Amino acid sequence: MSKAELNKALSPLMLWGLGVGYVISGMYFGWNLGLAEGGTYGLAIATIFIILMYVTFTFSYTEMACAIPRAGGAFEYANRGLGKHLGFIGGIAQNIEFIFAPPAIAAAIGAYLNLLYPTIDLMIFAIGAYLIFTVINILGVKLAASFELVITVLAVIELLIFAGATLPEFELSNLQLNPLPNGFSGVFAAIPFAIWFFLAIEGVANVAEEAINPQRSILIGFGSAIFTLVILCVLTFTAAVGVAGWEAVVYPEGSTVASDSPLPLALSHVVDSGHFLYKLLIGIGLLGLIASFHGIILAGGRATFEFGRVGYAPRFLGVVQSRFKTPANALIINTIIGIIALFTGKTGEIITIACFGALALYIVSMFSFFALRRKEPDMERPFKVPLFPLFPLVALVIASVAFIAMSYYNPVLALIFFGIVGVSYLGFLLFLNKKM
């Protein structure tokens, strides 16, 4: 092992592939559970606000990523702008997001493959996916990013095919079927599932240190990724719900249990299960899950690596593998924690904890943004956020409201999240802070 620098090998196209890939599984599963909470209108309103948050956040985050292109992302910005204690809080929130999102996706991959091979337990598939993609990430960032780009492009094409097949059957009246089943409170209850549409887009910043000409590449990669994702989100939501109403993409026929497969449910109202398009969706749909699973493992490895490199976590996590120049130790530890979480079997709860981490990260990041503008006005900023201070302020306000709403509707999970942060911070104060 070596403490060498990470390898610079990522082009803007690869960064676009990573940015879209981190997120795209959210188009394939999970978001439809928000329909059960808020109906068409409830999830739509929540999603509009979350899109506004992510667009303003992404532009603000890009300014910091271009100015400070380090693998720690939000942790680096908070550490520099707010000091090491709030830097630690931002860093642990980031790690919670990137460590807890993959188990939920792995469970979906396992459940999907279990449908095709019912004699094999889904946990075997889920753990197998963890091991395979951890190894790919250890073998090199260029290999990992190239793989991510290919499967992301295929997953995007499949979403466009889905929209092309379902939009001819779209009826506006289907969007108005029982549109707000739980009243206005459903808007707030649907927030985690609206976030799931875009969760982890900020992971692009965590590979900034490995980008070729990061100041230019990050701006192009980050900006094009969020634009692509907003288009896909609106298209997928409208095409799926417009076929037969929201309940048709939440509950399979004859069942009251919410499904993790909204797109096949929608397509089943257009073609039968033996049709080529249906089989194509099922086949390529797995790639959407794999793209996000693999991409978030990649970003999470960098976040944990940087935490260890600066001494905010055990130092061995901040070591680069000498041959492949990848954060192998961090990747392996994240995988072990993820597999433990996987065994809880609580996919929905794991998603919500990941969303708590994401929102805490966004809030700390925007405070860091304002602090850096005040403390280091002369810092070289190759890109500056438009409409300052409106963009970062909008992102901060929406993220804060969303965090409060999620805590209200998920009090036990909020306590678990704060417990993880609190215990980690206590460990930092007692053992790690003294060594710095």
Side-chain angles (χ1 to χ4, degrees), residues 377-416:
D378 298 326
M379 178 195 296
E380 185 179 353
R381 292 175 170 84
F383 170 79
K384 288 192 174 183
V385 65
L387 300 179
F388 175 82
L390 181 63
F391 268 35
L393 187 60
V394 167
L396 176 60
V397 169
I398 296 177
S400 300
V401 171
F403 190 92
I404 293 168
M406 275 182 52
S407 299
Y408 177 81
Y409 284 98
N410 302 276
V412 174
L413 295 177
L415 286 175
I416 292 172

Side-chain angles (χ1 to χ4, degrees), residues 24 28 149-159 161 284 287-288:
I24 202 165
Y28 282 89
L149 178 60
V150 171
I151 57 176
T152 296
V153 169
L154 290 173
V156 169
I157 291 172
E158 175 55 20
L159 288 177
I161 293 172
I284 301 183
L287 296 180

Side-chain angles (χ1 to χ4, degrees), residues 286-322:
L286 181 61
L287 296 180
L289 301 178
I290 290 173
S292 292
F293 181 67
H294 170 255
I296 297 174
I297 285 177
L298 188 152
R302 273 69 190 168
T304 304
F305 159 78
E306 187 66 14
F307 225 39
R309 183 164 64 173
V310 300
Y312 283 29
R315 291 280 186 183
F316 80 94
L317 293 173
V319 174
V320 175
Q321 208 281 338
S322 57

Side-chain angles (χ1 to χ4, degrees), residues 3 121 181 190 207 223 228 263 273 335 386 432 435:
K3 290 193 176 181
D121 188 87
V207 293
T228 301
L263 305 194
S273 59
T335 292
L432 299 170
K435 298 178 182 180

